[in-house]
């Protein structure tokens, strides 16, 4: 048996292992159940006990030696393989430019998140709107200036680019039963001269809450909560009486910026106060137009411009830069 052992060891040592296939051939020849190593172990079983004693150790060493030859060869192949893999990884990487969120969208999302926490859902509607949803249902009189070509982009006799997202409020009230609690962010259009402070399109987030027993106090509390979360805990606000055809009573809300800096002074026209939204209790006529019983339900609505708030938040001086699509400008917001 000793001779057999050294014979097989010799054979294993001189076995050429230069490829994965040869490695596998080695395994099949020596190491599997019916391979040469196991053959010797089978023979060993039938030896007389004295011989077993003297041969056992040798046989085990023999087995380890063959196994080591295999392991070493296998290792070489593996490190070779990972070496080739590595060289692929080492190729100069191809950097793909990542897009980023538009600052106006970031502001809309931040606003929406606050209202969503207060239980408002998010709705949208078409930007080309018919007269009913944009004006008539909202109680605009026939001779209202907004119905003039000077102020509104008409598409045809009955359709215009929506001038506010209040049109979505009408759509919601027509199709849903109260309680309705939703905000409607979106783009709106007005035929205005383009300047650093106004554009012919801009963005609004409007809100609507219709239920039994909704009061002006609910409106104020909702807006206080929003302002504290969005502009900071200690932000001062004030309401001023105002007029909108679709709300009664109506108000505008200002926040106090102060008069310290040149830009505060400019934004607030020297008063320290900046108007950020219009609001009010939904007019009885509007509820009736949308088939909601004003004897059972009341509601509030509010609407704010996103673009001015974004200018304020990011210290942007010219509104137009948001829409020039100049990536040098937009990239500044990529980490938001
Ligand atoms: N729709 C008004 C605007 O565009 C804002 C507004 C919404 C006012 C809801 C009151 C209530 O200016």
């Amino acid at each position: 048996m000793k001779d057999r052992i050294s014979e097989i060891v010799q054979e294993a040592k001189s076995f050429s292992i230069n490829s994965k296939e040869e490695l596998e051939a080695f395994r099949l020849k020596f190491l599997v159940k019916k391979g040469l190593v196991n053959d010797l172990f089978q023979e060993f079983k039938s030896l007389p006990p004295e011989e077993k004693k003297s041969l056992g150790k040798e046989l085990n060493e023999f087995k380890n030696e063959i196994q080591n030859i295999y392991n070493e060869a296998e290792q070489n192949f593996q490190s070779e393989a990972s070496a080739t893999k590595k060289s692929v990884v080492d190729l100069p990487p191809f950097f793909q430019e990542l897009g980023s969120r538009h600052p106006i969208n970031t502001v809309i999302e931040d606003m929406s998140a606050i209202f969503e926490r207060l239980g408002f859902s998010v709705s949208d509607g078409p930007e080309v709107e018919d007269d009913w949803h944009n004006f008539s249902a909202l109680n605009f009189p026939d001779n209202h200036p907004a119905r003039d070509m000077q102020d509104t982009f008409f598409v045809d006799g009955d359709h215009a680019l929506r001038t506010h997202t209040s049109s979505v409020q009408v759509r919601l009230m027509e199709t849903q039963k109260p309680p309705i609690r939703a905000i409607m962010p979106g783009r709106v259009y007005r035929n205005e001269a383009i300047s650093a402070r106004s554009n012919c399109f801009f963005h609004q987030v409007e809100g609507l809450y219709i239920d039994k027993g909704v009061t002006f106090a609910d409106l104020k509390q909702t807006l206080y909560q929003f302002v504290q979360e969005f502009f900071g805990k200690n932000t001062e606000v004030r309401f001023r009486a105002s007029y909108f055809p679709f709300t009664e009573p109506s108000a505008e809300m200002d926040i106090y910026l102060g008069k310290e800096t040149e830009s505060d002074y400019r934004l607030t026209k020297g008063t320290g106060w900046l108007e950020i939204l219009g609001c009010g209790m939904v007019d009885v006529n509007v509820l009736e137009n949308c088939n909601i019983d004003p004897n059972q339900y009341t509601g509030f609505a509010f609407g704010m411009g996103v673009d001015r708030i974004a200018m304020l938040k990011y210290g942007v001086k010219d509104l137009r830069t948001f829409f020039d699509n100049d990536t040098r400008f937009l990239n500044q917001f990529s980490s938001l």
Side-chain angles (χ1 to χ4, degrees):
M1 177 159 280
K2 279 196 175 178
D3 294 346
R4 240 350 241 145
I5 289 178
S6 50
E7 223 173 80
I8 295 176
V9 169
Q10 269 316 307
E11 203 177 333
K13 278 186 175 159
S14 56
F15 198 101
S16 94
I17 309 179
N18 290 319
S19 67
K20 282 209 155 158
E21 289 74 28
E22 285 174 349
L23 180 70
E24 181 60 4
F26 181 93
R27 193 179 70 87
L28 290 173
K29 179 159 190 184
F30 296 97
L31 292 170
V32 291
K33 212 167 166 202
K34 293 195 170 145
L36 295 178
V37 173
N38 215 29
D39 281 354
L40 279 197
F41 273 86
Q42 294 305 326
E43 263 179 51
F44 175 80
K45 276 188 194 160
S46 49
L47 290 180
E50 330 71 77
E51 277 192 51
K52 267 191 186 162
K53 235 185 207 165
S54 64
L55 266 174
K57 194 171 163 230
E58 216 169 310
L59 196 62
N60 272 327
E61 280 169 3
F62 153 76
K63 184 188 167 190
N64 288 341
E65 195 169 355
I66 305 289
Q67 186 67 51
N68 281 343
I69 294 175
Y70 177 83
N71 290 351
E72 245 168 60
E74 191 187 33
Q75 276 238 312
N76 283 341
F77 280 124
Q78 265 168 4
S79 50
E80 245 171 59
S82 62
T84 25
K85 246 191 229 143
K86 192 143 178 272
S87 70
V88 174
V89 173
D90 280 349
L91 279 175
F94 170 67
F95 285 111
Q96 188 146 20
E97 285 266 351
L98 281 182
S100 61
R101 234 177 257 291
H102 194 281
I104 295 289
N105 269 344
T106 307
V107 172
I108 289 181
E109 281 179 14
D110 290 351
M111 290 179 170
S112 304
I114 294 171
F115 285 110
E116 280 174 285
R117 275 202 299 281
L118 292 175
F120 287 76
S121 55
V122 179
S123 299
D124 64 6
E127 292 186 12
V128 176
E129 206 30 296
D130 55 30
D131 177 273
W132 171 255
H133 290 98
N134 197 74
F135 296 124
S136 297
L138 288 162
N139 203 32
F140 277 78
D142 280 345
N143 59 359
H144 193 282
R147 293 181 181 250
D148 194 328
M149 294 280 273
Q150 301 293 313
D151 293 290
T152 300
F153 292 113
F154 282 91
V155 176
D156 62 27
D158 193 47
H159 292 87
L161 297 179
R162 67 180 176 192
T163 59
H164 48 189
T165 52
S166 306
S167 54
V168 185
Q169 302 188 15
V170 177
R171 289 180 178 275
L172 282 180
M173 287 189 276
E174 282 176 336
T175 53
Q176 292 182 17
K177 283 211 156 43
I180 300 170
R181 188 155 44 182
I183 56 163
M184 328 76 226
R187 182 172 284 190
V188 302
Y189 302 82
R190 288 186 200 171
N191 196 353
E192 282 184 21
I194 298 171
S195 71
R197 286 178 53 84
S198 68
N199 205 343
C200 56
F201 65 88
F202 55 98
H203 300 80
Q204 288 187 323
V205 170
E206 293 213 1
L208 175 72
Y209 178 32
I210 310 265
D211 201 352
K212 287 181 178 150
V214 177
T215 67
F216 204 93
D218 298 317
L219 169 61
K220 284 174 91 176
Q221 191 52 46
T222 304
L223 295 177
Y224 282 148
Q225 182 69 29
F226 167 75
V227 166
Q228 289 192 349
E229 285 201 42
F230 193 87
F231 293 102
K233 267 257 171 284
N234 299 320
T235 312
E236 262 185 83
V237 302
R238 72 176 182 192
F239 285 83
R240 281 178 293 103
S242 184
Y243 170 78
F244 300 102
F246 36 89
T247 46
E248 181 60 36
S250 305
E252 281 175 311
M253 194 177 88
D254 302 339
I255 58 170
Y256 192 70
L257 288 190
K259 300 188 225 178
E260 259 98 88
T261 67
E262 186 262 326
S263 101
D264 286 348
Y265 209 83
R266 194 168 32 81
L267 281 171
T268 66
K269 301 198 181 99
T271 65
W273 292 95
L274 180 73
E275 184 235 310
I276 59 157
L277 60 84
C279 61
M281 300 304 292
V282 180
D283 196 289
V284 168
N285 291 343
V286 176
L287 293 175
E288 279 173 352
N289 286 340
C290 301
N291 295 321
I292 291 179
D293 180 358
N295 294 317
Q296 273 201 58
Y297 294 105
T298 53
F300 66 67
F302 59 86
M304 60 188 122
V306 174
D307 310 59
R308 291 239 178 108
I309 291 176
M311 283 173 88
L312 186 66
K313 183 164 180 186
Y314 300 124
V316 171
K317 292 216 166 68
D318 189 331
L319 183 65
R320 292 167 292 193
T321 47
F322 281 128
F323 309 106
D324 286 341
N325 285 340
D326 184 336
T327 49
R328 287 169 305 176
F329 172 76
L330 295 174
N331 280 340
Q332 300 177 87
F333 301 93
S334 58
S335 61
L336 297 180

